[in-house]
Amino acid sequence: MYRPEEENLGIPKPGLPVLPYIRKTVMLLEERRHMKILFIEDEIVKQNDILKYLNEELSQNAVEVVHSLMGGMLALRKCEFEMVLLDMSLPLYDLNGEDEGINEFEAFGGIEILDEIERKELSVKVLVITAFDAIEDDTKKIHLEQLDQQMKENYSNIYLGCIHYDQSSLEWKSELKKYVK
C-alpha cells in the first residue's frame, strides 16, 4: 500500500525503479561520513603526515589546507566548515613559494583565528595541533597546558582541545581520532 509520508524517507512509489533511490541513499551516507575540515598549517612535513592520516585512516578527504593566518581568515569567510585543525604559530601570509624570508610570523596566530570565529559567530569547532611544548613571542612564553586551559576558558563554545604533535609518536593519531568522525 502506498503511503505519501514515505516519499520523504526516499522510499519509491510502487512500480518505480529502486536503483536510483539506493544510489541516492548511499551518496547521502557517504556525505555524512565526511566532515568539511579547514586545516591551517604551515609546516609541510606535519601537514602531510596529518593529511595522510585523515585520508587513509579516518576516510576524511574533504580537507581544505591553507598555510597562514590570513589564508585561514579568508577561508573562514568564503566557506562553512565543521571543524578547523589549527596550528598555533603561523606565518602572516601564504606566499606560495615566494621569498619566505619576508613573511612575518605570528607566534599566537591561532588565537587570532579563534577570535575571528567567535567574532563572526561561526558554528565551527576548533582543534589545535601543535608541535611545540610552549609557545612564545617577544613578550611572553606559555606552556601548552596553560594555553590549553586559557583556550578552554576563553573559547568554550568552539574549542575542542589541543593535541601535541610529535612525528615520532603515535599518540597524536589516537587523540585526533577522538575528535574527527
Side-chain angles (χ1 to χ4, degrees):
M1 168 186 250
Y2 170 68
R3 294 184 295 253
E5 66 272 7
E6 290 178 344
E7 278 190 46
N8 294 334
L9 300 175
I11 299 169
K13 294 179 184 177
L16 292 177
V18 177
L19 192 54
Y21 291 94
I22 293 172
R23 285 188 185 129
K24 182 179 177 183
T25 303
V26 169
M27 286 175 53
L28 288 172
L29 289 172
E30 284 292 318
E31 286 176 17
R32 287 184 191 151
R33 199 176 82 200
H34 299 290
M35 296 177 74
K36 187 151 186 170
I37 299 171
L38 175 61
F39 186 18
I40 307 173
E41 174 59 59
D42 64 308
E43 213 301 307
I44 298 301
V45 173
K46 178 179 157 193
Q47 177 192 109
N48 288 340
D49 214 13
I50 293 170
L51 283 173
K52 182 178 178 183
Y53 181 71
L54 287 169
N55 190 19
E56 293 177 6
E57 301 295 324
L58 301 180
S59 300
Q60 296 296 326
N61 54 16
V63 181
E64 181 174 336
V65 180
V66 295
H67 308 280
S68 69
L69 175 62
M70 294 311 295
M73 297 281 197
L74 290 171
L76 286 167
R77 288 184 191 138
K78 73 175 185 172
C79 200
E80 288 186 25
F81 297 93
E82 294 172 72
M83 177 179 276
V84 174
L85 300 179
L86 179 63
D87 189 15
M88 186 51 60
S89 299
L90 296 164
L92 194 53
Y93 302 104
D94 286 343
L95 293 180
N96 300 322
E98 297 173 27
D99 186 8
E100 300 288 332
I102 63 170
N103 204 355
E104 295 178 40
F105 200 79
E106 296 290 327
F108 294 95
I111 297 293
E112 292 184 44
I113 296 285
L114 287 160
D115 286 340
E116 178 76 358
I117 291 169
E118 288 242 315
R119 189 179 67 76
K120 296 247 182 211
E121 298 179 350
L122 301 176
S123 60
V124 62
K125 298 298 181 186
V126 179
L127 181 62
V128 171
I129 304 177
T130 183
F132 297 112
D133 293 328
I135 312 289
E136 65 181 298
D137 63 9
D138 296 336
T139 61
K140 63 185 167 201
K141 178 178 181 176
I142 301 178
H143 290 277
L144 198 54
E145 295 80 20
Q146 293 171 294
L147 188 62
D148 181 50
Q149 190 59 41
Q150 286 178 7
M151 289 186 292
K152 283 177 184 171
E153 292 169 9
N154 296 336
Y155 306 100
S156 60
N157 292 334
I158 59 172
Y159 179 70
L160 295 173
C162 186
I163 295 174
H164 182 255
Y165 171 84
D166 180 353
Q167 189 178 16
S168 64
S169 172
L170 297 176
E171 189 174 335
W172 67 268
K173 291 181 179 181
S174 61
E175 289 295 312
L176 184 56
K177 189 174 186 174
K178 291 177 188 175
Y179 297 102
V180 179
K181 296 172 176 57

Coordinates of all heavy atoms in Angstrom, one line a residue, residues 82-84 86 110-111 113-119 121-128 151-152 154-161:
E82 N 33.0 22.4 9.3 CA 32.5 21.8 10.5 C 33.6 21.8 11.6 O 33.3 21.8 12.8 CB 32.1 20.3 10.3 CG 30.9 20.2 9.4 CD 30.6 18.8 9.0 OE1 30.2 18.0 9.9 OE2 30.9 18.4 7.9
M83 N 34.9 21.8 11.1 CA 36.0 21.7 12.0 C 37.2 22.5 11.4 O 37.4 22.5 10.2 CB 36.4 20.3 12.3 CG 37.6 20.1 13.2 SD 38.1 18.4 13.5 CE 36.9 18.1 14.9
V84 N 38.0 23.1 12.3 CA 39.2 23.7 12.0 C 40.3 23.0 12.8 O 40.2 22.9 14.0 CB 39.3 25.2 12.3 CG1 40.6 25.8 12.0 CG2 38.2 26.0 11.5
L86 N 44.0 23.6 13.7 CA 44.7 24.8 13.8 C 46.1 24.7 14.4 O 46.2 24.2 15.5 CB 43.8 25.8 14.6 CG 44.3 27.2 14.8 CD1 44.5 28.0 13.5 CD2 43.3 27.9 15.7
G110 N 47.1 31.5 16.0 CA 45.9 30.6 16.2 C 44.9 31.3 17.1 O 43.6 31.2 16.9
I111 N 45.3 32.1 18.1 CA 44.4 32.9 18.9 C 43.6 33.9 18.1 O 42.4 34.1 18.3 CB 45.2 33.6 20.0 CG1 45.8 32.6 21.0 CG2 44.2 34.6 20.8 CD1 44.9 31.8 21.8
I113 N 42.8 33.5 15.0 CA 41.8 32.7 14.3 C 40.6 32.4 15.2 O 39.4 32.6 14.8 CB 42.4 31.4 13.7 CG1 43.4 31.7 12.7 CG2 41.3 30.5 13.2 CD1 43.0 32.1 11.3
L114 N 40.9 32.0 16.4 CA 39.8 31.8 17.4 C 39.0 33.0 17.6 O 37.7 33.0 17.7 CB 40.4 31.2 18.7 CG 40.9 29.8 18.7 CD1 41.8 29.5 19.8 CD2 39.7 28.8 18.7
D115 N 39.6 34.2 17.7 CA 38.9 35.4 17.9 C 38.0 35.7 16.7 O 36.9 36.2 16.9 CB 39.9 36.6 18.1 CG 40.6 36.6 19.5 OD1 40.0 36.0 20.4 OD2 41.7 37.2 19.6
E116 N 38.5 35.5 15.5 CA 37.7 35.7 14.3 C 36.4 34.8 14.3 O 35.3 35.3 13.9 CB 38.5 35.5 13.1 CG 37.8 35.7 11.8 CD 37.6 37.1 11.4 OE1 37.9 38.1 12.1 OE2 37.0 37.3 10.3
I117 N 36.6 33.6 14.6 CA 35.5 32.6 14.7 C 34.4 33.1 15.7 O 33.2 33.1 15.4 CB 36.0 31.2 15.0 CG1 36.8 30.7 13.8 CG2 34.8 30.3 15.3 CD1 37.6 29.4 14.1
E118 N 34.9 33.5 16.8 CA 33.9 34.0 17.8 C 33.3 35.3 17.4 O 32.0 35.5 17.5 CB 34.7 34.2 19.2 CG 35.0 32.9 19.9 CD 34.4 32.8 21.2 OE1 34.3 33.7 22.0 OE2 33.9 31.7 21.4
R119 N 34.0 36.2 16.8 CA 33.5 37.5 16.4 C 32.4 37.3 15.3 O 31.4 38.0 15.3 CB 34.6 38.4 15.9 CG 34.2 39.8 15.6 CD 35.4 40.6 15.1 NE 35.9 40.3 13.8 CZ 35.3 40.5 12.7 NH1 34.2 41.2 12.7 NH2 35.9 40.2 11.5
E121 N 30.7 34.6 14.9 CA 29.8 33.7 15.4 C 29.6 32.5 14.5 O 28.5 32.0 14.2 CB 28.4 34.4 15.7 CG 28.5 35.4 16.8 CD 27.2 36.2 17.0 OE1 26.2 36.0 16.3 OE2 27.2 36.9 18.0
L122 N 30.7 32.0 14.0 CA 30.7 30.8 13.1 C 30.4 29.5 13.9 O 30.9 29.4 15.1 CB 32.0 30.7 12.4 CG 32.4 31.9 11.5 CD1 33.8 31.7 10.9 CD2 31.4 32.2 10.5
S123 N 29.7 28.6 13.4 CA 29.4 27.4 14.1 C 30.4 26.3 13.6 O 30.1 25.4 12.8 CB 28.0 26.9 13.8 OG 27.8 26.7 12.4
V124 N 31.6 26.4 14.1 CA 32.7 25.5 13.7 C 33.4 25.2 15.0 O 33.6 26.0 15.9 CB 33.6 26.2 12.7 CG1 34.3 27.4 13.2 CG2 34.7 25.2 12.2
K125 N 33.9 24.0 15.1 CA 34.7 23.5 16.2 C 36.2 23.6 15.9 O 36.6 23.3 14.7 CB 34.3 22.1 16.7 CG 32.9 22.0 17.1 CD 32.6 22.9 18.3 CE 31.2 22.7 18.8 NZ 30.8 23.6 19.8
V126 N 37.0 23.9 16.9 CA 38.5 24.1 16.6 C 39.3 23.2 17.5 O 39.1 23.1 18.7 CB 38.9 25.6 16.9 CG1 40.4 25.8 16.7 CG2 38.1 26.5 16.1
L127 N 40.2 22.5 16.8 CA 41.1 21.6 17.5 C 42.5 22.1 17.1 O 42.9 22.2 16.0 CB 40.9 20.2 17.0 CG 41.8 19.1 17.6 CD1 41.6 19.0 19.1 CD2 41.6 17.8 16.9
V128 N 43.3 22.4 18.1 CA 44.7 22.9 17.9 C 45.6 21.7 17.9 O 45.5 20.8 18.7 CB 45.1 23.9 19.1 CG1 46.6 24.2 19.0 CG2 44.2 25.2 19.0
M151 N 42.4 28.6 26.6 CA 41.5 28.5 25.4 C 40.2 27.8 25.8 O 39.1 28.2 25.3 CB 42.2 27.7 24.3 CG 43.3 28.6 23.6 SD 44.0 27.9 22.1 CE 44.9 26.5 22.8
K152 N 40.3 26.8 26.7 CA 39.0 26.2 27.3 C 38.2 27.3 27.9 O 36.9 27.2 27.8 CB 39.4 25.1 28.2 CG 39.8 23.8 27.6 CD 40.2 22.8 28.6 CE 40.7 21.5 28.0 NZ 41.3 20.6 28.9
N154 N 38.4 30.7 27.5 CA 38.0 31.9 26.7 C 37.2 31.5 25.4 O 36.5 32.4 24.9 CB 39.3 32.6 26.2 CG 40.0 33.2 27.4 OD1 39.5 33.5 28.4 ND2 41.3 33.4 27.2
Y155 N 37.3 30.3 25.0 CA 36.6 29.9 23.7 C 35.8 28.6 24.0 O 35.8 27.7 23.1 CB 37.6 29.7 22.6 CG 38.5 30.9 22.4 CD1 39.8 30.9 22.9 CD2 38.0 32.0 21.7 CE1 40.6 32.0 22.8 CE2 38.8 33.1 21.5 CZ 40.1 33.1 22.1 OH 40.9 34.2 21.9
S156 N 35.1 28.5 25.1 CA 34.4 27.2 25.5 C 33.4 26.7 24.5 O 33.1 25.5 24.4 CB 33.8 27.4 26.8 OG 32.9 28.4 26.8
N157 N 32.8 27.6 23.7 CA 31.8 27.2 22.7 C 32.3 26.6 21.5 O 31.6 25.9 20.8 CB 30.9 28.4 22.3 CG 30.1 28.9 23.5 OD1 29.8 28.2 24.4 ND2 29.8 30.2 23.4
I158 N 33.6 26.9 21.1 CA 34.2 26.4 19.9 C 35.4 25.5 20.0 O 35.7 24.7 19.2 CB 34.5 27.6 18.9 CG1 35.5 28.5 19.5 CG2 33.2 28.3 18.5 CD1 36.0 29.6 18.6
Y159 N 36.1 25.7 21.2 CA 37.4 25.0 21.3 C 37.2 23.6 21.8 O 36.6 23.3 22.9 CB 38.3 25.8 22.3 CG 39.6 25.2 22.6 CD1 40.6 25.2 21.7 CD2 39.9 24.6 23.9 CE1 41.8 24.6 21.9 CE2 41.1 24.1 24.2 CZ 42.1 24.1 23.2 OH 43.3 23.5 23.5
L160 N 37.8 22.6 21.1 CA 37.7 21.2 21.5 C 38.8 20.7 22.3 O 38.7 19.9 23.2 CB 37.7 20.3 20.2 CG 36.4 20.5 19.3 CD1 36.6 19.7 18.0 CD2 35.2 20.0 20.0
G161 N 40.0 21.2 22.0 CA 41.2 20.8 22.8 C 42.5 21.0 22.0 O 42.5 21.6 20.9

